[in-house]
Coordinates of all heavy atoms in Angstrom, one line a residue:
M1 N -69.0 -122.8 -12.0 CA -70.3 -123.4 -11.8 C -70.2 -124.1 -10.4 O -69.3 -124.7 -10.0 CB -70.4 -124.5 -12.9 CG -71.7 -125.2 -12.7 SD -72.1 -125.9 -14.3 CE -72.2 -127.6 -14.0
S2 N -71.3 -123.8 -9.7 CA -71.3 -124.4 -8.3 C -71.8 -125.8 -8.3 O -72.6 -126.2 -9.1 CB -72.2 -123.5 -7.4 OG -73.5 -123.7 -7.9
R3 N -71.3 -126.5 -7.4 CA -71.6 -127.9 -7.3 C -72.7 -128.1 -6.2 O -72.7 -127.4 -5.2 CB -70.4 -128.7 -6.9 CG -69.3 -128.6 -8.0 CD -68.2 -129.5 -7.8 NE -68.6 -130.7 -8.4 CZ -67.9 -131.8 -8.4 NH1 -66.8 -131.9 -7.8 NH2 -68.3 -132.9 -9.0
I4 N -73.6 -129.0 -6.5 CA -74.7 -129.3 -5.5 C -74.2 -130.5 -4.6 O -73.7 -131.5 -5.2 CB -76.0 -129.7 -6.2 CG1 -76.4 -128.4 -7.0 CG2 -77.0 -130.1 -5.2 CD1 -77.7 -128.7 -7.8
H5 N -74.3 -130.3 -3.4 CA -73.9 -131.4 -2.4 C -74.8 -132.6 -2.7 O -76.0 -132.5 -2.9 CB -74.1 -130.8 -1.0 CG -73.4 -131.7 0.0 ND1 -74.0 -132.8 0.5 CD2 -72.2 -131.7 0.6 CE1 -73.3 -133.4 1.4 NE2 -72.1 -132.7 1.5
P6 N -74.2 -133.8 -2.6 CA -75.0 -135.0 -2.8 C -76.2 -135.2 -1.9 O -77.3 -135.7 -2.4 CB -74.0 -136.1 -2.5 CG -72.6 -135.5 -2.7 CD -72.8 -134.1 -2.4
C7 N -76.1 -134.7 -0.7 CA -77.3 -134.8 0.2 C -78.4 -133.9 -0.3 O -79.6 -134.2 -0.2 CB -76.9 -134.4 1.6 SG -75.8 -135.6 2.4
T8 N -78.1 -132.7 -0.8 CA -79.1 -131.8 -1.3 C -79.7 -132.4 -2.6 O -80.9 -132.2 -2.8 CB -78.4 -130.4 -1.6 OG1 -77.7 -130.0 -0.5 CG2 -79.4 -129.4 -2.1
R9 N -78.9 -133.0 -3.4 CA -79.4 -133.5 -4.6 C -80.5 -134.6 -4.4 O -81.5 -134.7 -5.1 CB -78.3 -134.2 -5.4 CG -78.3 -133.9 -6.9 CD -77.2 -134.6 -7.6 NE -76.0 -133.8 -7.5 CZ -74.8 -134.2 -7.5 NH1 -74.6 -135.5 -7.7 NH2 -73.7 -133.5 -7.4
R10 N -80.4 -135.3 -3.3 CA -81.3 -136.4 -2.9 C -82.7 -135.9 -2.6 O -83.7 -136.5 -3.0 CB -80.8 -137.1 -1.7 CG -80.4 -138.5 -2.0 CD -80.0 -139.3 -0.8 NE -78.6 -139.1 -0.6 CZ -77.9 -139.1 0.5 NH1 -78.6 -139.4 1.6 NH2 -76.7 -138.9 0.6
W11 N -82.8 -134.7 -2.0 CA -84.2 -134.2 -1.6 C -84.6 -133.1 -2.5 O -85.8 -132.7 -2.5 CB -84.2 -133.8 -0.2 CG -83.3 -132.6 0.2 CD1 -82.1 -132.7 0.7 CD2 -83.6 -131.2 0.0 NE1 -81.6 -131.4 0.9 CE2 -82.5 -130.5 0.5 CE3 -84.7 -130.5 -0.4 CZ2 -82.5 -129.1 0.5 CZ3 -84.7 -129.1 -0.4 CH2 -83.5 -128.5 0.0
L12 N -83.8 -132.5 -3.3 CA -84.2 -131.4 -4.2 C -85.3 -131.7 -5.2 O -86.3 -131.1 -5.3 CB -83.0 -130.8 -4.9 CG -83.2 -129.5 -5.6 CD1 -83.7 -128.4 -4.7 CD2 -81.9 -129.0 -6.3
A13 N -85.1 -132.8 -5.9 CA -86.1 -133.2 -6.9 C -87.4 -133.6 -6.3 O -88.5 -133.1 -6.8 CB -85.5 -134.3 -7.8
P14 N -87.4 -134.4 -5.3 CA -88.7 -134.7 -4.7 C -89.4 -133.5 -4.1 O -90.6 -133.3 -4.1 CB -88.4 -135.7 -3.6 CG -87.1 -136.3 -4.0 CD -86.4 -135.3 -4.7
A15 N -88.6 -132.6 -3.5 CA -89.2 -131.3 -2.9 C -89.8 -130.5 -4.0 O -90.9 -129.9 -3.9 CB -88.1 -130.6 -2.2
A16 N -89.1 -130.4 -5.2 CA -89.7 -129.6 -6.3 C -91.0 -130.2 -6.8 O -91.9 -129.5 -7.1 CB -88.6 -129.5 -7.4
I17 N -91.0 -131.5 -6.9 CA -92.2 -132.2 -7.4 C -93.4 -132.0 -6.4 O -94.5 -131.7 -6.7 CB -92.0 -133.7 -7.6 CG1 -91.0 -133.9 -8.8 CG2 -93.2 -134.5 -7.8 CD1 -90.5 -135.3 -9.0
A18 N -93.1 -132.1 -5.1 CA -94.1 -131.9 -4.1 C -94.6 -130.5 -4.1 O -95.8 -130.2 -4.0 CB -93.5 -132.2 -2.7
L19 N -93.7 -129.5 -4.3 CA -94.2 -128.1 -4.4 C -95.1 -127.9 -5.6 O -96.1 -127.2 -5.5 CB -92.9 -127.2 -4.4 CG -93.2 -125.7 -4.5 CD1 -94.0 -125.2 -3.2 CD2 -91.9 -124.9 -4.6
A20 N -94.7 -128.4 -6.7 CA -95.5 -128.3 -7.9 C -96.9 -128.9 -7.7 O -97.9 -128.4 -8.1 CB -94.8 -129.0 -9.1
A21 N -96.9 -130.1 -7.0 CA -98.2 -130.8 -6.8 C -99.1 -129.9 -5.9 O -100.3 -129.9 -6.0 CB -98.0 -132.1 -6.2
L22 N -98.5 -129.2 -4.9 CA -99.3 -128.4 -4.0 C -99.8 -127.1 -4.7 O -100.9 -126.7 -4.4 CB -98.4 -128.0 -2.8 CG -98.1 -129.0 -1.8 CD1 -97.1 -128.5 -0.8 CD2 -99.4 -129.5 -1.1
L23 N -99.1 -126.6 -5.7 CA -99.5 -125.4 -6.3 C -100.5 -125.6 -7.5 O -101.2 -124.7 -7.8 CB -98.2 -124.7 -6.9 CG -97.3 -124.1 -5.9 CD1 -96.1 -123.5 -6.5 CD2 -98.0 -123.1 -5.0
M24 N -100.5 -126.8 -8.0 CA -101.4 -127.1 -9.2 C -102.9 -126.8 -8.9 O -103.5 -126.1 -9.7 CB -101.2 -128.5 -9.6 CG -100.2 -128.7 -10.7 SD -100.4 -130.3 -11.4 CE -98.7 -130.7 -11.7
P25 N -103.4 -127.2 -7.8 CA -104.9 -126.9 -7.5 C -105.1 -125.4 -7.4 O -106.1 -124.9 -7.8 CB -105.2 -127.6 -6.2 CG -104.1 -128.7 -6.1 CD -102.9 -128.1 -6.8
S26 N -104.1 -124.6 -6.9 CA -104.3 -123.2 -6.8 C -104.4 -122.5 -8.1 O -105.2 -121.7 -8.4 CB -103.2 -122.6 -6.0 OG -103.1 -123.1 -4.7
V27 N -103.5 -123.0 -9.0 CA -103.5 -122.4 -10.4 C -104.8 -122.8 -11.1 O -105.4 -121.9 -11.8 CB -102.2 -123.0 -11.1 CG1 -102.3 -122.6 -12.6 CG2 -100.9 -122.4 -10.5
A28 N -105.2 -124.0 -11.0 CA -106.5 -124.4 -11.6 C -107.6 -123.6 -11.1 O -108.5 -123.2 -11.9 CB -106.7 -125.9 -11.4
A29 N -107.7 -123.4 -9.8 CA -108.8 -122.6 -9.2 C -108.7 -121.2 -9.7 O -109.8 -120.6 -10.0 CB -108.7 -122.7 -7.7
A30 N -107.6 -120.6 -9.8 CA -107.4 -119.2 -10.3 C -107.9 -119.1 -11.7 O -108.5 -118.1 -12.1 CB -106.0 -118.8 -10.1
Q31 N -107.6 -120.1 -12.5 CA -108.1 -120.1 -13.9 C -109.6 -120.2 -14.0 O -110.2 -119.5 -14.8 CB -107.4 -121.2 -14.7 CG -106.0 -121.0 -15.0 CD -105.3 -122.2 -15.7 OE1 -105.8 -123.3 -15.7 NE2 -104.1 -121.9 -16.3
K32 N -110.2 -121.0 -13.2 CA -111.6 -121.1 -13.2 C -112.3 -119.9 -12.7 O -113.4 -119.5 -13.2 CB -112.1 -122.3 -12.4 CG -111.8 -123.6 -13.0 CD -112.3 -124.8 -12.1 CE -111.9 -126.1 -12.7 NZ -112.3 -127.2 -11.8
A33 N -111.7 -119.2 -11.7 CA -112.3 -118.0 -11.2 C -112.1 -116.8 -12.0 O -112.8 -115.8 -11.8 CB -111.7 -117.8 -9.8
A34 N -111.2 -116.8 -13.0 CA -111.0 -115.7 -13.8 C -112.2 -115.4 -14.6 O -112.9 -116.3 -15.1 CB -109.8 -115.9 -14.7
P35 N -112.6 -114.1 -14.8 CA -113.8 -113.8 -15.6 C -113.6 -114.2 -17.0 O -112.6 -114.0 -17.6 CB -113.9 -112.3 -15.4 CG -112.6 -111.8 -15.0 CD -111.9 -112.9 -14.3
Q36 N -114.6 -114.8 -17.6 CA -114.6 -115.2 -19.0 C -114.9 -114.0 -19.9 O -115.6 -113.1 -19.5 CB -115.7 -116.2 -19.2 CG -115.5 -117.5 -18.4 CD -114.3 -118.3 -18.8 OE1 -113.9 -118.3 -19.9 NE2 -113.6 -118.8 -17.8
D37 N -114.2 -114.0 -21.0 CA -114.5 -112.9 -22.0 C -115.9 -113.1 -22.5 O -116.3 -114.1 -23.1 CB -113.5 -113.0 -23.2 CG -112.1 -112.7 -22.7 OD1 -112.0 -112.0 -21.7 OD2 -111.2 -113.1 -23.4
K38 N -116.7 -112.1 -22.2 CA -118.1 -112.2 -22.7 C -118.3 -111.4 -23.9 O -117.7 -110.3 -24.1 CB -119.1 -111.6 -21.6 CG -119.1 -112.5 -20.3 CD -120.1 -111.9 -19.3 CE -120.1 -112.8 -18.1 NZ -120.9 -112.2 -17.1
A39 N -119.1 -111.9 -24.8 CA -119.3 -111.2 -26.1 C -120.1 -109.9 -25.7 O -121.0 -109.9 -24.8 CB -120.1 -112.1 -27.0
P40 N -119.8 -108.8 -26.4 CA -120.6 -107.6 -26.1 C -122.0 -107.8 -26.5 O -122.4 -108.6 -27.4 CB -119.9 -106.6 -27.0 CG -119.2 -107.4 -28.1 CD -118.9 -108.7 -27.5
P41 N -122.9 -107.2 -25.7 CA -124.3 -107.3 -26.0 C -124.6 -106.8 -27.5 O -124.1 -105.8 -27.9 CB -125.1 -106.5 -25.0 CG -124.0 -105.6 -24.5 CD -122.7 -106.2 -24.7
Q42 N -125.5 -107.6 -28.2 CA -125.8 -107.2 -29.5 C -126.9 -106.2 -29.6 O -127.8 -106.2 -28.7 CB -126.2 -108.4 -30.3 CG -125.1 -109.4 -30.6 CD -125.5 -110.5 -31.5 OE1 -126.7 -110.8 -31.6 NE2 -124.5 -111.1 -32.1
D43 N -126.8 -105.3 -30.5 CA -127.9 -104.3 -30.7 C -129.1 -105.0 -31.2 O -129.0 -105.7 -32.2 CB -127.4 -103.2 -31.7 CG -128.3 -102.1 -31.9 OD1 -129.4 -102.1 -31.3 OD2 -128.0 -101.2 -32.7
K44 N -130.2 -104.8 -30.5 CA -131.4 -105.5 -30.9 C -132.4 -104.6 -31.7 O -133.6 -105.0 -31.9 CB -132.1 -106.1 -29.7 CG -131.2 -107.1 -29.0 CD -131.9 -107.8 -27.9 CE -130.9 -108.7 -27.3 NZ -131.3 -109.9 -26.7
S45 N -131.9 -103.5 -32.2 CA -132.8 -102.6 -33.0 C -133.1 -103.4 -34.3 O -132.3 -104.2 -34.8 CB -132.1 -101.3 -33.3 OG -131.1 -101.5 -34.2
P46 N -134.2 -103.0 -34.9 CA -134.6 -103.7 -36.2 C -133.5 -103.5 -37.3 O -133.2 -104.4 -38.1 CB -135.9 -103.0 -36.6 CG -136.5 -102.5 -35.4 CD -135.3 -102.2 -34.5
H47 N -132.9 -102.3 -37.3 CA -131.9 -102.0 -38.4 C -130.6 -102.9 -38.1 O -130.1 -103.4 -39.1 CB -131.5 -100.5 -38.3 CG -132.6 -99.7 -38.8 ND1 -132.9 -99.5 -40.1 CD2 -133.5 -98.9 -38.1 CE1 -134.0 -98.7 -40.3 NE2 -134.3 -98.3 -39.0
A48 N -130.2 -103.1 -36.9 CA -129.0 -103.9 -36.6 C -129.4 -105.4 -36.9 O -128.5 -106.1 -37.4 CB -128.6 -103.7 -35.1
L49 N -130.6 -105.8 -36.5 CA -131.0 -107.2 -36.8 C -131.0 -107.4 -38.3 O -130.6 -108.5 -38.7 CB -132.3 -107.4 -36.1 CG -132.8 -108.8 -36.1 CD1 -131.8 -109.8 -35.4 CD2 -134.2 -108.9 -35.4
F50 N -131.5 -106.5 -39.0 CA -131.6 -106.6 -40.5 C -130.2 -106.8 -41.0 O -129.9 -107.7 -41.9 CB -132.2 -105.4 -41.1 CG -132.3 -105.5 -42.6 CD1 -133.4 -106.0 -43.2 CD2 -131.3 -105.0 -43.4 CE1 -133.5 -106.1 -44.6 CE2 -131.4 -105.0 -44.8 CZ -132.5 -105.6 -45.4
A51 N -129.2 -106.0 -40.6 CA -127.8 -106.1 -41.0 C -127.2 -107.5 -40.7 O -126.5 -108.1 -41.5 CB -127.0 -105.0 -40.4
R52 N -127.6 -108.1 -39.5 CA -127.1 -109.4 -39.2 C -127.7 -110.5 -40.0 O -127.1 -111.5 -40.4 CB -127.3 -109.7 -37.7 CG -126.3 -109.0 -36.8 CD -126.3 -109.5 -35.4 NE -127.5 -109.5 -34.7 CZ -128.1 -108.5 -34.0 NH1 -127.4 -107.4 -33.9 NH2 -129.2 -108.7 -33.4
I53 N -129.0 -110.4 -40.4 CA -129.7 -111.4 -41.1 C -129.3 -111.3 -42.6 O -129.2 -112.3 -43.3 CB -131.2 -111.3 -40.9 CG1 -131.5 -111.6 -39.5 CG2 -132.0 -112.2 -41.9 CD1 -133.0 -111.3 -39.1
D54 N -129.1 -110.1 -43.1 CA -128.7 -109.9 -44.5 C -127.3 -110.4 -44.7 O -126.4 -109.6 -44.9 CB -128.9 -108.5 -44.9 CG -128.6 -108.2 -46.4 OD1 -128.6 -109.2 -47.2 OD2 -128.4 -107.0 -46.7
T55 N -127.1 -111.7 -44.7 CA -125.7 -112.2 -44.7 C -124.9 -111.9 -46.0 O -123.7 -111.9 -45.9 CB -125.7 -113.8 -44.5 OG1 -126.6 -114.4 -45.5 CG2 -126.3 -114.1 -43.1
N56 N -125.6 -111.7 -47.1 CA -124.8 -111.4 -48.3 C -124.8 -109.9 -48.6 O -124.3 -109.5 -49.6 CB -125.4 -112.2 -49.5 CG -126.8 -111.8 -49.9 OD1 -127.4 -110.9 -49.2 ND2 -127.4 -112.4 -50.9
S57 N -125.3 -109.1 -47.7 CA -125.2 -107.6 -47.7 C -125.8 -107.1 -49.0 O -125.2 -106.1 -49.5 CB -123.8 -107.2 -47.5 OG -123.3 -107.6 -46.3
D58 N -126.8 -107.6 -49.6 CA -127.4 -107.1 -50.8 C -128.5 -106.1 -50.5 O -129.2 -105.6 -51.4 CB -127.9 -108.2 -51.7 CG -129.1 -109.0 -51.1 OD1 -129.4 -108.8 -49.9 OD2 -129.6 -109.8 -51.8
G59 N -128.8 -105.8 -49.2 CA -129.8 -104.8 -48.9 C -131.2 -105.3 -48.8 O -132.1 -104.6 -48.7
K60 N -131.3 -106.6 -48.9 CA -132.6 -107.2 -48.8 C -132.5 -108.6 -48.1 O -131.4 -109.2 -48.1 CB -133.4 -107.3 -50.1 CG -132.6 -108.0 -51.2 CD -133.3 -107.9 -52.5 CE -132.4 -108.4 -53.6 NZ -132.9 -108.3 -54.9
V61 N -133.5 -109.1 -47.5 CA -133.5 -110.4 -46.8 C -134.3 -111.4 -47.7 O -135.5 -111.1 -48.0 CB -134.1 -110.3 -45.4 CG1 -134.2 -111.6 -44.7 CG2 -133.2 -109.3 -44.6
S62 N -133.7 -112.5 -48.0 CA -134.3 -113.5 -48.8 C -135.0 -114.5 -47.9 O -134.8 -114.5 -46.7 CB -133.3 -114.2 -49.7 OG -132.4 -115.0 -48.8
K63 N -135.8 -115.4 -48.5 CA -136.5 -116.4 -47.7 C -135.4 -117.3 -47.1 O -135.6 -117.8 -45.9 CB -137.4 -117.2 -48.6 CG -138.7 -116.5 -48.9 CD -139.7 -117.4 -49.7 CE -141.0 -116.7 -49.9 NZ -141.9 -117.6 -50.6
R64 N -134.3 -117.5 -47.7 CA -133.3 -118.4 -47.2 C -132.7 -117.7 -45.9 O -132.4 -118.4 -44.9 CB -132.2 -118.6 -48.2 CG -131.1 -119.5 -47.8 CD -130.2 -119.7 -49.0 NE -129.3 -120.9 -48.7 CZ -128.4 -121.3 -49.5 NH1 -128.2 -120.7 -50.7 NH2 -127.7 -122.3 -49.2
E65 N -132.4 -116.4 -46.0 CA -131.8 -115.7 -44.9 C -132.8 -115.6 -43.7 O -132.4 -115.6 -42.6 CB -131.4 -114.3 -45.3 CG -130.2 -114.3 -46.3 CD -129.9 -113.0 -46.9 OE1 -130.9 -112.3 -47.3 OE2 -128.7 -112.6 -47.1
I66 N -134.1 -115.5 -44.0 CA -135.1 -115.3 -42.9 C -135.3 -116.5 -42.1 O -135.9 -116.5 -41.0 CB -136.4 -114.7 -43.5 CG1 -137.1 -113.9 -42.4 CG2 -137.2 -115.8 -44.1 CD1 -136.5 -112.7 -42.0
T67 N -134.9 -117.7 -42.6 CA -135.1 -118.9 -41.8 C -134.4 -118.9 -40.5 O -134.8 -119.6 -39.6 CB -134.6 -120.2 -42.6 OG1 -133.2 -120.0 -42.9 CG2 -135.3 -120.4 -43.9
R68 N -133.5 -117.9 -40.3 CA -132.9 -117.8 -39.0 C -133.8 -117.1 -38.0 O -133.5 -117.0 -36.8 CB -131.6 -116.9 -39.1 CG -130.6 -117.6 -40.0 CD -129.4 -116.8 -40.3 NE -128.8 -116.3 -39.1 CZ -127.9 -115.3 -39.1 NH1 -127.5 -114.7 -40.2 NH2 -127.3 -114.9 -38.0
M69 N -134.9 -116.6 -38.5 CA -135.9 -115.9 -37.6 C -137.3 -116.4 -37.9 O -138.1 -115.9 -38.6 CB -135.9 -114.4 -37.9 CG -134.6 -113.7 -37.4 SD -134.9 -112.0 -37.3 CE -136.1 -111.8 -36.0
P70 N -137.6 -117.6 -37.3 CA -138.9 -118.2 -37.6 C -140.1 -117.3 -37.3 O -141.1 -117.4 -38.0 CB -138.9 -119.4 -36.7 CG -137.6 -119.6 -36.1 CD -136.9 -118.3 -36.3
G71 N -140.0 -116.4 -36.4 CA -141.2 -115.6 -36.0 C -141.5 -114.6 -37.2 O -142.7 -114.3 -37.5
I72 N -140.5 -114.2 -37.9 CA -140.8 -113.3 -39.0 C -141.0 -114.1 -40.3 O -141.8 -113.8 -41.1 CB -139.6 -112.3 -39.3 CG1 -139.5 -111.4 -38.1 CG2 -139.7 -111.6 -40.6 CD1 -138.4 -110.3 -38.2
A73 N -140.4 -115.3 -40.4 CA -140.6 -116.2 -41.5 C -142.1 -116.5 -41.7 O -142.6 -116.6 -42.8 CB -139.8 -117.4 -41.4
T74 N -142.8 -116.7 -40.6 CA -144.2 -117.1 -40.6 C -145.1 -115.9 -41.1 O -146.2 -116.1 -41.6 CB -144.7 -117.5 -39.3 OG1 -144.5 -116.5 -38.3 CG2 -144.0 -118.8 -38.8
R75 N -144.5 -114.7 -41.1 CA -145.3 -113.5 -41.5 C -144.8 -113.0 -42.9 O -145.1 -111.9 -43.3 CB -145.1 -112.4 -40.5 CG -145.7 -112.8 -39.1 CD -145.4 -111.7 -38.1 NE -145.9 -110.4 -38.5 CZ -145.5 -109.2 -38.1 NH1 -144.5 -109.2 -37.3 NH2 -146.0 -108.1 -38.6
W76 N -144.1 -113.9 -43.6 CA -143.5 -113.5 -44.9 C -144.5 -112.8 -45.8 O -144.2 -111.8 -46.4 CB -142.8 -114.7 -45.5 CG -142.1 -114.3 -46.8 CD1 -142.6 -114.3 -48.0 CD2 -140.7 -113.8 -46.8 NE1 -141.6 -113.9 -48.9 CE2 -140.5 -113.6 -48.2 CE3 -139.8 -113.6 -45.9 CZ2 -139.3 -113.1 -48.6 CZ3 -138.5 -113.1 -46.3 CH2 -138.3 -112.9 -47.7
Q77 N -145.6 -113.5 -46.1 CA -146.6 -113.0 -47.1 C -147.1 -111.6 -46.6 O -147.3 -110.7 -47.5 CB -147.8 -114.0 -47.2 CG -147.4 -115.3 -47.7 CD -146.9 -115.2 -49.2 OE1 -147.3 -114.4 -50.0 NE2 -145.8 -116.0 -49.4
E78 N -147.3 -111.4 -45.4 CA -147.8 -110.1 -44.9 C -146.7 -109.0 -45.0 O -147.0 -107.9 -45.3 CB -148.2 -110.3 -43.4 CG -148.5 -109.0 -42.6 CD -148.5 -109.3 -41.1 OE1 -148.6 -110.4 -40.7 OE2 -148.5 -108.3 -40.4
L79 N -145.5 -109.4 -44.7 CA -144.4 -108.3 -44.7 C -143.9 -108.0 -46.1 O -143.4 -106.9 -46.3 CB -143.3 -108.8 -43.8 CG -143.6 -109.0 -42.4 CD1 -142.4 -109.6 -41.6 CD2 -144.1 -107.7 -41.7
D80 N -143.9 -108.9 -47.0 CA -143.4 -108.7 -48.4 C -144.4 -107.9 -49.2 O -145.1 -108.4 -50.0 CB -143.0 -110.0 -49.1 CG -142.4 -109.8 -50.4 OD1 -141.9 -108.7 -50.7 OD2 -142.3 -110.8 -51.2
K81 N -144.5 -106.6 -48.9 CA -145.6 -105.7 -49.5 C -145.5 -105.7 -51.0 O -146.6 -105.7 -51.6 CB -145.5 -104.3 -48.9 CG -145.7 -104.3 -47.4 CD -147.1 -104.6 -47.0 CE -147.3 -104.4 -45.5 NZ -148.5 -104.9 -45.1
D82 N -144.3 -105.6 -51.6 CA -144.2 -105.5 -53.0 C -144.2 -106.8 -53.7 O -144.1 -106.9 -55.0 CB -143.1 -104.6 -53.4 CG -141.7 -105.1 -53.0 OD1 -141.7 -106.2 -52.4 OD2 -140.7 -104.4 -53.1
K83 N -144.3 -107.9 -53.0 CA -144.3 -109.3 -53.5 C -143.2 -109.6 -54.5 O -143.3 -110.3 -55.4 CB -145.7 -109.5 -54.2 CG -146.9 -109.3 -53.3 CD -146.9 -110.1 -52.1 CE -148.2 -109.8 -51.3 NZ -148.0 -110.0 -49.9
D84 N -142.0 -109.1 -54.1 CA -140.8 -109.4 -55.0 C -140.0 -110.6 -54.5 O -138.9 -110.9 -55.0 CB -139.9 -108.1 -55.1 CG -139.2 -107.8 -53.8 OD1 -139.6 -108.3 -52.7 OD2 -138.3 -106.9 -53.8
G85 N -140.5 -111.2 -53.4 CA -139.8 -112.4 -52.9 C -138.7 -112.1 -52.0 O -137.9 -113.0 -51.6
S86 N -138.5 -110.9 -51.5 CA -137.5 -110.5 -50.5 C -138.1 -109.4 -49.7 O -139.0 -108.7 -50.1 CB -136.2 -110.1 -51.2 OG -136.4 -109.0 -52.0
L87 N -137.5 -109.2 -48.5 CA -137.9 -108.1 -47.7 C -136.8 -107.0 -47.7 O -135.6 -107.2 -47.5 CB -138.0 -108.6 -46.2 CG -139.1 -109.6 -45.9 CD1 -139.0 -109.9 -44.4 CD2 -140.4 -109.1 -46.3
S88 N -137.3 -105.8 -48.1 CA -136.4 -104.6 -48.1 C -136.2 -104.2 -46.6 O -136.9 -104.7 -45.7 CB -137.0 -103.5 -48.8 OG -138.1 -103.0 -48.2
R89 N -135.2 -103.4 -46.4 CA -135.0 -102.9 -45.0 C -136.3 -102.2 -44.5 O -136.7 -102.4 -43.3 CB -133.9 -101.9 -44.9 CG -133.6 -101.4 -43.5 CD -132.4 -100.4 -43.5 NE -131.2 -101.0 -43.9 CZ -130.3 -101.6 -43.1 NH1 -130.6 -101.7 -41.8 NH2 -129.2 -102.2 -43.6
E90 N -137.0 -101.5 -45.3 CA -138.2 -100.8 -44.9 C -139.3 -101.8 -44.5 O -140.0 -101.6 -43.5 CB -138.7 -99.8 -46.0 CG -137.8 -98.6 -46.2 CD -136.5 -99.0 -47.0 OE1 -136.5 -100.0 -47.8 OE2 -135.5 -98.3 -46.8
E91 N -139.5 -102.8 -45.3 CA -140.5 -103.8 -45.0 C -140.1 -104.6 -43.7 O -141.0 -104.9 -42.9 CB -140.5 -104.9 -46.2 CG -141.1 -104.3 -47.5 CD -141.0 -105.2 -48.7 OE1 -140.0 -105.9 -48.7 OE2 -141.9 -105.2 -49.5
F92 N -138.9 -104.9 -43.6 CA -138.4 -105.6 -42.4 C -138.7 -104.8 -41.1 O -139.2 -105.2 -40.1 CB -136.9 -105.9 -42.5 CG -136.4 -106.8 -41.4 CD1 -136.5 -108.1 -41.4 CD2 -135.7 -106.2 -40.3 CE1 -135.9 -108.9 -40.4 CE2 -135.2 -106.9 -39.3 CZ -135.3 -108.3 -39.3
V93 N -138.3 -103.5 -41.1 CA -138.4 -102.6 -40.0 C -139.9 -102.4 -39.7 O -140.3 -102.4 -38.6 CB -137.7 -101.3 -40.2 CG1 -138.0 -100.3 -39.1 CG2 -136.2 -101.5 -40.3
A94 N -140.7 -102.2 -40.8 CA -142.2 -102.1 -40.6 C -142.8 -103.3 -39.9 O -143.7 -103.2 -39.1 CB -142.8 -101.8 -41.9
G95 N -142.2 -104.5 -40.2 CA -142.7 -105.7 -39.5 C -142.5 -105.7 -38.0 O -143.3 -106.3 -37.3
F96 N -141.5 -105.0 -37.6 CA -141.3 -104.9 -36.1 C -142.2 -103.9 -35.5 O -142.5 -104.0 -34.3 CB -139.8 -104.4 -35.9 CG -138.9 -105.6 -35.7 CD1 -138.3 -106.1 -36.9 CD2 -138.5 -106.1 -34.5 CE1 -137.4 -107.2 -36.8 CE2 -137.7 -107.1 -34.4 CZ -137.1 -107.7 -35.6
R97 N -142.7 -103.0 -36.2 CA -143.7 -102.0 -35.6 C -145.1 -102.5 -35.5 O -145.9 -102.0 -34.7 CB -143.7 -100.7 -36.5 CG -142.3 -100.0 -36.5 CD -142.4 -98.7 -37.2 NE -141.1 -98.2 -37.3 CZ -140.6 -97.6 -38.4 NH1 -141.3 -97.6 -39.5 NH2 -139.4 -97.2 -38.4
T98 N -145.4 -103.6 -36.2 CA -146.8 -104.1 -36.2 C -146.8 -105.3 -35.2 O -145.9 -105.9 -34.9 CB -147.2 -104.6 -37.6 OG1 -146.4 -105.5 -38.1 CG2 -147.3 -103.4 -38.5

């Protein structure tokens, strides 16, 4: 094991601390400049939207599930053609065409 000369020991620790202090802002800037992971764009087709809203995957959208889309919720009576209290995929997609 090599021995460190006492004179070297005196300035080694302060030099290491000074070097670390100089490098910290560079590391922080590099982290800020790194591109953020962006979520992939969501498919905005009526079928994909229906799948996202149908949270229990029962093939229909309930009044509770549709509250996430106020624009369609206000048209509930018009879109629920068979008046069964839910929107089928066909009823939901047809609502986008009108």
Side-chain angles (χ1 to χ4, degrees):
M1 183 157 118
S2 67
R3 300 190 85 181
I4 298 175
H5 192 277
C7 291
T8 305
R9 220 181 281 152
R10 248 184 272 152
W11 64 264
L12 188 58
I17 292 171
L19 181 61
L22 288 173
L23 293 177
M24 271 193 214
S26 301
V27 171
Q31 287 176 343
K32 287 181 184 177
Q36 300 294 323
D37 291 335
K38 293 183 180 176
Q42 291 186 337
D43 185 355
K44 296 190 184 208
S45 71
H47 292 283
L49 189 55
F50 181 89
R52 284 195 304 274
I53 293 172
D54 183 18
T55 55
N56 63 359
S57 301
D58 65 352
K60 54 190 175 183
V61 175
S62 66
K63 284 186 177 183
R64 185 179 194 178
E65 291 169 320
I66 203 69
T67 58
R68 297 172 55 193
M69 293 198 62
I72 292 182
T74 59
R75 299 177 55 207
W76 184 268
Q77 296 299 321
E78 171 193 346
L79 298 176
D80 186 17
K81 298 291 185 193
D82 59 6
K83 306 299 181 206
D84 67 346
S86 62
L87 296 181
S88 66
R89 182 179 297 270
E90 293 76 26
E91 290 170 328
F92 185 86
V93 171
F96 271 83
R97 294 188 188 134
T98 59

